[in-house]
Amino acid sequence: MYVEALDRIVLKDRVSQRAFANASTVRKAAITTRVMQLVHQLLRKNIHTSKRDIFYADPNLFSAQEESDAVLNDIACIVGCTRTSLAIVASDKGVVIGRVSFREAGDLIDCTKMGIGGKAIPPYIDQITDIQSDAEFILLVEKNAVFTRLSEDRFYNKFPCIMITGKGQPDVATRLFLRRMRDTLRIPVLGLVDADPYGLKILSVYMSGSKSMSYDSANLTTPDIKWLGVRPSDLSKLNIPDQCRLPMSASDIETGKSLLKEDFITKNPAWVAELETMVNTKEKAEIQVLTHFGFQFITEVYLPTKLKAGDWI
Amino acid sequence: MYVEALDRIVLKDRVSQRAFANASTVRKAAITTRVMQLVHQLLRKNIHTSKRDIFYADPNLFSAQEESDAVLNDIACIVGCTRTSLAIVASDKGVVIGRVSFREAGDLIDCTKMGIGGKAIPPYIDQITDIQSDAEFILLVEKNAVFTRLSEDRFYNKFPCIMITGKGQPDVATRLFLRRMRDTLRIPVLGLVDADPYGLKILSVYMSGSKSMSYDSANLTTPDIKWLGVRPSDLSKLNIPDQCRLPMSASDIETGKSLLKEDFITKNPAWVAELETMVNTKEKAEIQVLTHFGFQFITEVYLPTKLKAGDWI
């Protein structure tokens, strides 16, 4: 459930019991114990693994991956720690580039010297230490193609920043990484997302978390992300021609209307206004709409204007 | 079509004409000219972009992205170059780690010092220069989770190698990168994929390319990849228990049978034998099946044994 004071999705206050001596729960209790033993083994060796590997460690007992997956979350709750602390991590796909350096498994990583492709965000956040940065903000980019444009233009040198992308819907590693950067550096996070309901949904996952990972929301969420753009109001401000605006589908409009009831929207009147504009005009747009004014318009005009004016909400 | 002498999929010998003065082709001719102009602009500025951005540069004319996408391939054929040379690249998701260093957009990247997450393979292969390596082979890993296991164990220091993953079905950037490494370093490429038809399909995309990108197959394909494992014969050799083997679905078996007719399989009798075993036993397995013997079995036993014995086909 969403808790306003914490500004994130957290677990409800419910307890479940599993008795070894009860036929209906003995199997689940056995699985729980076995997974705990495997996790113990990982922690003693100081290595990490994936959920799939946990399943294959004892397929006779688990019989399906859903069974071992399910108890992993339970164990995190029992021990009162994060799933990452159990040395089990999901696949990673995020990338970081810009004005930050850190040590990863002992290696010194300087993200200003990562070419165009950037540094793959590691699955194991606990391997990251010594974060150093002179960045003034973190630019969170929804789309990989936009990230690449900014990275080729070395935007982070024009406006000292750290650029992070989760390539669409972010994975756990990227969310942990963003939160960690935010906590260590205490600089604002500015979101560059599509002007559509999906863009806001992605921001909400970074901000208040997802239901499936609610037990770990304390480490995964970055509550105070500012919405830089592309915002529905930008479309008229910039005189974006009709051909670049996309009509919202019926399901887009429905998603938009249901977002208007979500806490992370309602607590910010400026967000409500933008979302209402979107739902009323029934128009959406992607970040790449800015390409209409030139391939480098985003780097040379749009972002500099926004940043100088402090135009985020 | 697949050409045996070249060992890859190439274009058929067909020509299409577009006249400005013909009502049926004038629109396509106009689009072609406009895209050529945009590409010219990119090349003069020495910047790169994505297919989506090309569409947004003139949505009035293109009206749908399919229209601008379609002519991009045509232009590559007209000019007789690759799509990458047109400065237009697809999204990238591959990662590299291990015994190789190169310059990317001027930055020196040392892939032995990339922590666990590794270096994101850049979308722009032309920005990579000065490739240096003391690796003895390239280990091509299908799955990201397996890649991470090997990367955490710094497998590349036990057996000097470069590790590359395309995280499943590889993107264009990863395929270009692999080919470039292969051409420059002239070391063998060993494939570590699932023992299922999908694993072989992924190998075939790296090896002989895909139909949609056939005009660029000369730069995208790495013909002589060796199949290291996990191979169907490994399952019995290692006494993998039944619970770890997965039953093949009807469509798996069908895919397997159709693969038996593909050129990249038939030209290698050892591959045919393995695939026949798979289709006959109707059993498949993932790389992670090795976890049954311990989380680090793959790093400490399986790969060292295979490599020392030269057990690839």
Side-chain angles (χ1 to χ4, degrees):
Chain A
M1 63 182 178
Y2 175 84
V3 171
E4 198 178 340
L6 294 172
D7 197 9
R8 58 174 198 253
I9 293 168
V10 297
L11 280 183
K12 281 198 179 154
D13 194 18
R14 259 191 229 142
V15 175
S16 69
Q17 283 206 322
R18 274 171 214 162
F20 258 113
N22 184 323
S24 69
T25 54
V26 61
R27 194 175 134 66
K28 199 138 194 191
I31 292 175
T32 310
T33 320
R34 178 69 174 122
V35 173
M36 285 179 115
Q37 188 193 16
L38 289 168
V39 167
H40 182 240
Q41 201 178 318
L42 287 171
L43 293 172
R44 280 192 55 178
K45 285 194 184 176
N46 195 25
I47 58 172
H48 303 73
T49 195
S50 66
K51 294 202 280 187
R52 190 82 183 136
D53 278 312
I54 288 287
F55 163 68
Y56 273 120
D58 199 345
N60 292 358
L61 176 64
F62 304 137
S63 68
Q65 197 189 326
E66 291 76 48
E67 307 223 34
S68 50
D69 280 5
V71 300
L72 276 172
N73 294 351
D74 293 346
I75 293 173
C77 295
I78 294 170
V79 183
C81 72
T82 66
R83 198 181 66 199
T84 314
S85 309
L86 300 178
I88 291 151
V89 289
S91 173
D92 51 304
K93 56 175 185 153
V95 176
V96 58
I97 205 164
R99 303 274 276 257
V100 66
S101 71
F102 49 82
R103 284 199 176 271
E104 180 183 327
D107 296 338
L108 182 66
I109 313 283
D110 179 351
C111 293
T112 62
K113 300 200 175 100
M114 284 293 145
I116 293 162
K119 172 75 181 75
I121 291 177
Y124 311 138
I125 195 78
D126 57 338
Q127 297 290 318
I128 291 188
T129 52
D130 303 317
I131 298 169
Q132 306 273 346
S133 175
D134 66 346
E136 289 169 12
F137 60 96
I138 295 170
L139 189 65
L140 190 63
V141 185
E142 176 185 343
K143 286 184 157 169
N144 194 34
V146 177
F147 180 86
T148 306
R149 164 86 275 123
L150 295 172
S151 139
E152 188 176 40
D153 291 347
R154 305 229 178 208
F155 183 75
Y156 51 85
N157 284 337
K158 293 183 195 164
F159 289 84
C161 67
I162 302 166
M163 293 171 11
I164 294 176
T165 182
K167 301 185 181 179
Q169 188 70 38
D171 54 309
V172 169
T174 307
R175 287 155 63 196
L176 282 170
F177 187 83
L178 174 69
R179 171 62 185 255
R180 181 73 182 282
M181 287 288 151
R182 177 76 172 87
D183 280 0
T184 311
L185 304 173
R186 300 185 175 281
I187 49 178
V189 180
L190 307 177
L192 183 62
V193 297
D194 285 345
D196 64 17
Y198 196 67
L200 286 175
K201 280 229 155 194
I202 285 176
L203 275 190
S204 89
V205 170
Y206 280 112
M207 290 167 73
S208 20
S210 63
K211 277 167 198 154
S212 64
M213 292 291 285
S214 51
Y215 65 91
D216 197 5
S217 65
N219 296 292
L220 277 169
T221 57
T222 306
D224 48 358
I225 298 178
K226 300 294 174 197
W227 187 8
L228 180 84
V230 176
R231 303 203 303 269
S233 61
D234 290 339
L235 301 183
S236 42
K237 261 186 227 161
L238 294 166
N239 283 318
I240 299 279
D242 286 347
Q243 294 81 355
C244 294
R245 309 180 188 206
L246 306 169
M248 285 170 84
S249 68
S251 96
D252 278 339
I253 295 170
E254 207 170 299
T255 309
K257 282 183 181 162
S258 72
L259 277 173
L260 275 168
K261 292 171 203 149
E262 295 269 355
D263 302 278
F264 81 101
I265 300 275
T266 52
K267 71 187 169 104
N268 191 329
W271 286 45
V272 173
E274 290 283 4
L275 189 54
E276 277 174 349
T277 305
M278 195 193 295
V279 172
N280 292 336
T281 59
K282 297 187 176 54
E283 279 175 349
K284 59 179 185 176
E286 294 180 276
I287 312 174
Q288 285 108 311
V289 77
L290 304 169
T291 309
H292 176 71
F293 301 106
F295 290 115
Q296 289 172 299
F297 180 80
I298 187 170
T299 325
E300 289 169 0
V301 182
Y302 180 77
L303 283 177
T305 310
K306 285 249 161 193
L307 291 167
K308 276 173 196 154
D311 182 13
W312 52 76
I313 57 178
Chain B
M1 63 181 178
Y2 175 84
V3 171
E4 199 177 338
L6 294 172
D7 197 8
R8 58 174 196 251
I9 293 168
V10 295
L11 280 183
K12 280 198 180 156
D13 194 17
R14 260 192 230 138
V15 176
S16 69
Q17 282 205 322
R18 275 170 215 164
F20 259 114
N22 184 323
S24 70
T25 54
V26 62
R27 191 173 136 67
K28 198 135 194 194
I31 292 175
T32 310
T33 320
R34 178 69 174 121
V35 173
M36 284 179 115
Q37 188 194 16
L38 289 168
V39 167
H40 181 240
Q41 200 178 319
L42 287 170
L43 293 171
R44 279 191 56 177
K45 285 194 184 175
N46 195 25
I47 59 171
H48 303 74
T49 195
S50 67
K51 293 200 281 188
R52 190 82 184 136
D53 278 311
I54 288 285
F55 163 68
Y56 273 120
D58 199 345
N60 293 356
L61 176 64
F62 304 138
S63 68
Q65 196 190 328
E66 292 75 49
E67 306 222 35
S68 51
D69 280 6
V71 301
L72 276 172
N73 293 351
D74 293 346
I75 293 173
C77 294
I78 294 171
V79 183
C81 73
T82 66
R83 198 180 67 199
T84 314
S85 309
L86 299 179
I88 292 150
V89 289
S91 173
D92 51 305
K93 56 176 186 152
V95 175
V96 58
I97 203 163
R99 303 276 275 258
V100 66
S101 71
F102 49 82
R103 282 198 178 272
E104 181 183 326
D107 296 338
L108 182 65
I109 312 281
D110 179 351
C111 293
T112 62
K113 300 198 175 99
M114 284 293 146
I116 293 162
K119 172 73 181 77
I121 291 177
Y124 311 139
I125 194 78
D126 57 339
Q127 296 289 318
I128 292 188
T129 53
D130 303 319
I131 299 169
Q132 307 273 345
S133 175
D134 67 344
E136 287 168 14
F137 61 95
I138 296 169
L139 189 63
L140 189 63
V141 184
E142 177 185 341
K143 287 184 159 168
N144 194 34
V146 177
F147 181 87
T148 306
R149 165 84 276 120
L150 295 172
S151 139
E152 187 175 41
D153 291 347
R154 306 231 177 206
F155 183 75
Y156 51 85
N157 284 336
K158 292 183 195 164
F159 289 85
C161 67
I162 302 167
M163 293 170 11
I164 293 176
T165 182
K167 301 185 180 180
Q169 188 69 39
D171 55 308
V172 168
T174 307
R175 288 155 61 195
L176 282 169
F177 186 83
L178 175 68
R179 171 61 184 254
R180 181 76 181 282
M181 287 288 150
R182 177 76 172 88
D183 280 0
T184 312
L185 303 172
R186 301 188 174 281
I187 49 178
V189 181
L190 306 177
L192 183 61
V193 297
D194 285 346
D196 64 17
Y198 196 66
L200 286 175
K201 281 228 154 191
I202 284 176
L203 275 190
S204 88
V205 170
Y206 280 112
M207 289 166 73
S208 20
S210 63
K211 277 167 198 155
S212 64
M213 292 290 287
S214 50
Y215 64 90
D216 197 6
S217 66
N219 296 292
L220 278 169
T221 57
T222 306
D224 49 358
I225 298 177
K226 299 293 175 198
W227 186 10
L228 180 82
V230 178
R231 303 203 302 270
S233 61
D234 290 338
L235 301 183
S236 43
K237 260 187 228 159
L238 294 166
N239 283 319
I240 299 279
D242 287 346
Q243 294 82 355
C244 295
R245 310 181 188 203
L246 307 169
M248 285 171 82
S249 68
S251 96
D252 277 340
I253 295 170
E254 208 169 297
T255 309
K257 282 183 182 162
S258 72
L259 277 173
L260 275 168
K261 292 171 202 148
E262 296 269 355
D263 302 279
F264 81 102
I265 300 275
T266 54
K267 72 189 166 99
N268 190 330
W271 286 44
V272 173
E274 291 282 4
L275 189 54
E276 277 174 350
T277 305
M278 196 193 294
V279 172
N280 291 336
T281 59
K282 296 189 176 51
E283 279 175 350
K284 59 179 184 176
E286 294 179 277
I287 311 173
Q288 285 107 312
V289 77
L290 304 169
T291 310
H292 177 71
F293 301 106
F295 290 116
Q296 289 172 301
F297 179 80
I298 187 170
T299 325
E300 289 170 359
V301 182
Y302 180 77
L303 284 177
T305 310
K306 284 251 161 189
L307 291 168
K308 276 173 197 156
D311 182 12
W312 52 77
I313 57 177

